[in-house]
Amino acid sequence: MSMAPPACLPGTLHRKGRRRGLALLLAFLGLAALDGLLFRTPFYPSILEMDSSTGAFELTLWREQQAQTQNGDNLVVTLGDSRFAYSPRLANELTANTGYVFRHAGVAGTDVRSWYYMIRDLDPAARRYRAIVFGVRDYDDEDEYFTPDDDIRALHYAVARLRWSDVPGFALSFHSPSLKWEALRGASLKGIVYQSDLLAFLAKPKERIRLARIEHLKYEQWTYGYEETPRSLEGLRIDWSTWKATFPPGLDQDQQDTVNRDLMREPAPQTGRLAAFRRAWYGRIIDRYRGSRTKIIFVRLPRAPIPRPDGLVRKKSSTIRDFASLPNVLLCDEHAFDSLEHPELYRDAMHLNRAGIARFSPLLAEDISGMLGSAGR
């Protein structure tokens, strides 16, 4: 007669559960320690692929840290995405008159969530700059179908800047539960974000290190002396009554696509998510500089080669105008750069071309120096 195996006692099950839990905890701690050893030291961010999101962000940060040692106290740093298309080199041709030196720490594709981590590590003591200038599309809060609070690219741009203490707040700043989890994983174990870059590095480590040295040596020269393309949208026409664009001969598909996508887009429902996002992240930056000599300045960028009609969307709020009531915040006249809103000054529907940048850069320098006053001279 066979006998049934004895049932496990409750105490035995409890001990097994504790051992499994302890093993999982130790495994995670070991993985976190290895991840920290590899990716939470200065070495790996210094050899990232320059064309990657994190690599471009880190090179920009490094370049601007070097610039701080070479310029005086009247330093103005600008932050924005690729729409903030101006040339610090051209702006600084007016330094003898304005008294200010302009530097640009913006990175294409970024938003204010990434800029917070950029400026925090550029200026740990919150007193290095005379002004921090943010270039924005509009002072009003207009929600679009693309929602910045769920832009997971911020994880890939700023991952090297994220500390352990940042992880919960960074993850919770995303709107969707799935993106909260993705941000939590990536910010905790940075190797998840670096995976493809690490594989490429391991394939040719000597070549990557050699290129990284060249990039750090030449990046200032490449970027400070950069000249935008002269191509333009000259001849573009838009009939807003029929919502139809007429393209001149010679425009390529990318130029036409940006017009159709960016200018001819349908208005989105106004949910208030952009306003909440701006309040959270601009608010954190403004709070860092409360009581310091540094001014926070907002600039409404040239909007488009042919701006969309006013009143197309009923905007519910203007977070940036609300910030202007604070003592350390200034707003540039929102119509200061309307004169640049012409097709011949744009390379596509969003970005100024070489001629547009040549006009915009000195105008920006003059306006910012005028707002800051003669104390910088």
Side-chain angles (χ1 to χ4, degrees):
M1 182 176 65
S2 61
M3 297 181 63
C8 292
L9 297 174
T12 304
L13 289 174
H14 181 67
R15 286 193 296 272
K16 285 184 177 180
R18 285 181 59 188
R19 285 198 295 269
R20 289 195 186 107
L22 182 60
L24 287 173
L25 177 61
L26 291 174
F28 175 78
L29 292 175
L31 184 60
L34 178 61
D35 186 86
L37 182 65
L38 291 174
F39 304 123
R40 292 185 183 272
T41 63
F43 172 70
Y44 197 78
S46 72
I47 59 165
L48 286 161
E49 170 60 53
M50 186 183 78
D51 291 336
S52 69
S53 300
T54 320
F57 195 89
E58 289 299 303
L59 264 177
T60 300
L61 174 70
W62 179 87
R63 180 194 67 198
E64 295 311 306
Q65 287 172 332
Q66 308 313 302
Q68 289 178 354
T69 67
Q70 300 162 13
N71 294 282
D73 288 336
N74 294 323
L75 198 57
V76 174
V77 67
T78 56
L79 287 152
D81 59 17
S82 61
R83 291 174 57 89
F84 202 166
Y86 87 103
S87 167
R89 175 178 56 83
L90 296 178
N92 290 336
E93 290 180 357
L94 280 67
T95 297
N97 297 323
T98 66
Y100 295 97
V101 176
F102 284 78
R103 299 291 306 184
H104 188 52
V107 180
T110 56
D111 59 31
V112 63
R113 177 162 39 197
S114 300
W115 306 337
Y116 169 78
Y117 297 106
M118 172 71 80
I119 201 66
R120 185 183 68 178
D121 283 8
L122 269 182
D123 190 12
R127 61 171 181 262
R128 180 63 184 89
Y129 297 104
R130 285 301 307 275
I132 299 170
V133 181
F134 293 105
V136 298
R137 177 180 290 204
D138 197 350
Y139 289 166
D140 293 321
D141 304 318
E142 180 183 349
D143 291 293
E144 301 179 11
Y145 286 103
F146 175 81
T147 50
D149 55 2
D150 265 350
D151 188 356
I152 197 60
R153 291 180 299 174
L155 171 64
H156 296 267
Y157 284 112
V159 63
R161 301 295 106 202
L162 296 175
R163 307 164 187 168
W164 280 112
S165 58
D166 295 323
V167 172
F170 181 78
L172 290 172
S173 71
F174 290 86
H175 184 78
S176 302
S178 61
L179 294 178
K180 283 184 169 73
W181 170 241
E182 185 175 345
L184 179 65
R185 283 191 316 154
S188 301
L189 299 174
K190 297 186 179 186
I192 295 172
V193 179
Y194 289 140
Q195 182 177 5
S196 60
D197 187 273
L198 179 61
L199 292 174
F201 168 71
L202 293 175
K204 296 181 179 179
K206 291 183 179 179
E207 179 68 5
R208 170 69 71 81
I209 292 172
R210 184 186 71 83
L211 290 175
R213 288 173 178 165
I214 294 172
E215 288 159 358
H216 281 81
L217 183 65
K218 299 288 189 181
Y219 196 57
E220 167 71 7
Q221 176 185 333
W222 293 339
T223 53
Y224 194 73
Y226 175 75
E227 289 194 353
E228 185 55 86
T229 178
R231 70 176 185 168
S232 78
L233 298 179
E234 186 173 7
L236 174 68
R237 300 286 183 270
I238 298 178
D239 184 347
W240 292 112
S241 65
T242 60
W243 213 256
K244 182 179 179 181
T246 302
F247 299 105
L251 258 61
D252 63 31
Q253 192 61 49
D254 179 66
Q255 290 174 306
Q256 296 183 41
D257 287 345
T258 61
V259 170
N260 290 325
R261 182 181 64 243
D262 196 63
L263 290 184
M264 314 298 288
R265 68 185 186 278
E266 290 291 329
Q270 299 303 292
T271 62
R273 283 173 61 174
L274 175 62
F277 183 75
R278 282 176 158 181
R279 279 194 299 271
W281 289 100
Y282 284 123
R284 291 180 73 172
I285 295 171
I286 292 168
D287 286 344
R288 282 194 82 240
Y289 288 91
R290 196 180 300 274
S292 83
R293 70 169 193 151
T294 303
K295 298 297 184 183
I296 306 298
I297 299 179
F298 290 96
V299 170
R300 192 184 80 167
L301 301 173
R303 293 168 295 174
I306 302 176
R308 304 167 82 207
D310 291 331
L312 187 65
V313 177
R314 185 177 179 182
K315 302 158 189 175
K316 297 180 177 180
S317 60
S318 179
T319 302
I320 289 171
R321 288 193 181 89
D322 293 342
F323 285 140
S325 64
L326 301 174
N328 61 330
V329 178
L330 301 172
L331 265 60
C332 187
D333 179 359
E334 66 181 304
H335 298 291
F337 308 114
D338 288 0
S339 63
L340 303 177
E341 296 174 344
H342 297 285
E344 63 270 20
L345 299 178
Y346 277 76
R347 66 175 170 90
D348 59 30
M350 296 183 292
H351 304 101
L352 293 169
N353 62 12
R354 187 181 301 174
I357 289 172
R359 291 197 196 183
F360 180 39
S361 302
L363 288 175
L364 178 71
E366 290 170 351
D367 276 29
I368 297 302
S369 63
M371 296 171 73
L372 292 174
S374 60
R377 300 189 179 94

